[in-house]
Amino acid sequence: MARPVTLFTGQWADLPFEELGRLTREFGYDGNELACWGDHFDVAKATSDPGYIAAKREQLDRFGLQCHAISNHLVGQAVCDVIDERHKSILPPHVWGDGKPEGVNKRAAEEMKATARAAQKLGVGVVNGFTGSSIWPYLYSFPPVPESMIEAGFQQFADRWNPILDVFGECGVRFALEVHPTEIAFDIHTARRALEAVGNREEFGFNFDPSHLIWQGIDPVEFIREFPDRIYHVHVKDAIVTLNGRSGILASHLNFGDPRRGWDFRSPGRGGVNFEEIIRALNAIKYDGPLSVEWEDSGMERQHGAREACEFLRKLDFSPSNVAFDAAFDR
């Protein structure tokens, strides 16, 4: 099927895009999924500076790079979250403002609307990102959490995201939520509930990332089978469960890379994700979009890992058969 193999720039935003674009091509990728932070893609400039989009396109073209999606995870997180001091470090100053929570939520929502307009100008049809969640802290139901509080959280999500999705619809762009801890949807059941909360509107779907499912004990292939018409984009990222009787999957307040953790991210092909079965499942739903490497591995030098991940995907990706293997038996 020769799907495009791209590199998500979010974990490389410490590098100017001029340098990363060169590296992306050297690593062997077809293109980039541009993060809306660092200098990789600036939503404000894209929507206000008449020359910005042309200059960004010229920059991509100079390196021979495609762009099928942009991603604004950091701002999306602030739409539904209960805002605290942690958010200041991930938000642009104009979204953080004075830091008063209600204002941050509203400015984040407006920035996500602007992101849809910026994507339209760039000519890409998908914006990946997060939604945030006011009810994630209630995951462990103690003190006991009444169902009414969970319902209110999904209703708040719908109330805040439907106006954003209206703009996405006007722009002909789809929003792909990366199903992920701390979001309104973090597994199959909550993903279904999130879809229902926004009336199953077509503007809302998923950025499939198996790494966030496998450590929870969820089969990533089952997610693809559950939502065959809602996989709008695919991240290729691996994870491994390393339970040793001393740690658990809640990770013990230990940061990524700490060997005492019960799970961690790994470079693609070096963790527990069965990517061959994922390719077969993507073939079954006729997904022909990019396979975008979101490279995260605290134990590996990233340039080595990014190059290896591209080579891994080139060997792994294959087209479905157009003929039954036993057709030759017919006479």
Side-chain angles (χ1 to χ4, degrees):
M1 188 172 289
R3 299 175 182 92
V5 177
T6 62
L7 179 66
F8 177 41
T9 72
Q11 288 75 13
W12 304 75
D14 56 311
L15 300 180
F17 186 74
E18 189 69 19
E19 180 179 352
L20 181 58
R22 175 182 57 79
L23 286 173
T24 299
R25 198 60 188 171
E26 288 180 6
F27 294 155
Y29 289 90
D30 297 312
N32 286 120
E33 172 194 349
L34 294 176
C36 296
W37 55 91
D39 77 338
H40 296 183
F41 191 78
D42 189 314
V43 170
K45 289 181 179 178
T47 53
S48 64
D49 181 345
Y52 181 81
I53 292 294
K56 183 58 66 175
R57 274 290 173 196
E58 186 280 328
Q59 192 178 37
L60 288 163
D61 291 345
R62 185 154 31 87
F63 293 115
L65 297 173
Q66 305 168 20
C67 181
H68 299 274
I70 63 174
S71 295
N72 207 351
H73 294 68
L74 305 185
V75 170
Q77 186 70 38
V79 174
C80 287
D81 264 12
V82 178
I83 302 299
D84 59 42
E85 63 186 29
R86 297 171 302 153
H87 294 84
K88 185 176 182 179
S89 67
I90 66 170
L91 294 175
H94 67 276
V95 174
W96 176 255
D98 61 7
K100 293 182 179 178
E102 184 177 357
V104 174
N105 292 142
K106 289 180 178 178
R107 288 188 291 274
E110 292 304 310
E111 185 80 353
M112 293 308 296
K113 294 176 185 177
T115 306
R117 299 184 183 107
Q120 182 186 36
K121 287 178 178 290
L122 187 63
V124 302
V126 175
V127 171
N128 299 316
F130 292 153
T131 59
S133 173
S134 64
I135 55 176
W136 171 255
Y138 308 150
L139 181 65
Y140 192 92
S141 190
F142 190 84
V145 179
E147 176 59 22
S148 60
M149 291 181 72
I150 303 303
E151 290 175 356
F154 278 94
Q155 186 60 55
Q156 182 217 58
F157 156 70
D159 291 344
R160 294 187 181 183
W161 274 91
N162 269 323
I164 299 170
L165 295 172
D166 288 342
V167 176
F168 273 78
E170 292 166 6
C171 294
V173 176
R174 297 181 294 184
F175 178 74
L177 167 62
E178 186 168 336
V179 174
H180 183 290
T182 78
E183 310 313 319
I184 196 67
F186 54 89
D187 61 10
I188 291 174
H189 295 301
T190 53
R192 176 59 64 192
R193 194 163 179 175
L195 274 171
E196 292 170 352
V198 294
N200 293 295
R201 57 189 301 169
E202 291 185 8
E203 295 87 358
F204 183 80
F206 303 118
N207 175 41
F208 169 75
D209 185 328
S211 70
H212 303 301
L213 300 172
I214 190 169
W215 66 265
Q216 296 183 65
I218 300 162
D219 183 348
V221 171
E222 288 304 308
F223 190 95
I224 297 171
R225 290 171 176 161
E226 180 71 17
F227 304 108
D229 60 340
R230 297 291 173 150
I231 306 298
Y232 292 165
H233 193 264
V234 170
H235 269 181
V236 175
K237 189 166 71 171
D238 213 336
I240 191 165
V241 175
T242 55
L243 300 177
N244 60 6
R246 297 174 64 87
S247 59
I249 61 169
L250 298 184
S252 310
H253 289 300
L254 299 170
N255 279 332
F256 296 113
D258 191 313
R260 296 173 294 170
R261 282 175 61 93
W263 70 273
D264 214 333
F265 295 124
R266 290 287 172 86
S267 194
R270 292 182 174 273
V273 174
N274 187 333
F275 283 103
E276 176 165 339
E277 289 305 309
I278 286 172
I279 292 296
R280 291 178 183 274
L282 292 174
N283 285 344
I285 67 169
K286 296 179 170 57
Y287 174 81
D288 60 0
L291 302 175
S292 186
V293 171
E294 183 182 18
W295 195 85
E296 294 182 358
D297 188 331
S298 298
M300 181 183 291
E301 195 277 321
R302 66 178 176 178
Q303 290 197 28
H304 171 89
R307 190 184 303 274
E308 179 187 80
C310 185
E311 294 169 356
F312 171 76
L313 274 179
R314 296 287 188 205
K315 293 177 182 177
L316 178 71
D317 193 23
F318 55 87
S319 300
S321 175
N322 60 7
V323 61
F325 70 86
D326 56 356
F329 302 164
D330 294 340
R331 296 193 177 201

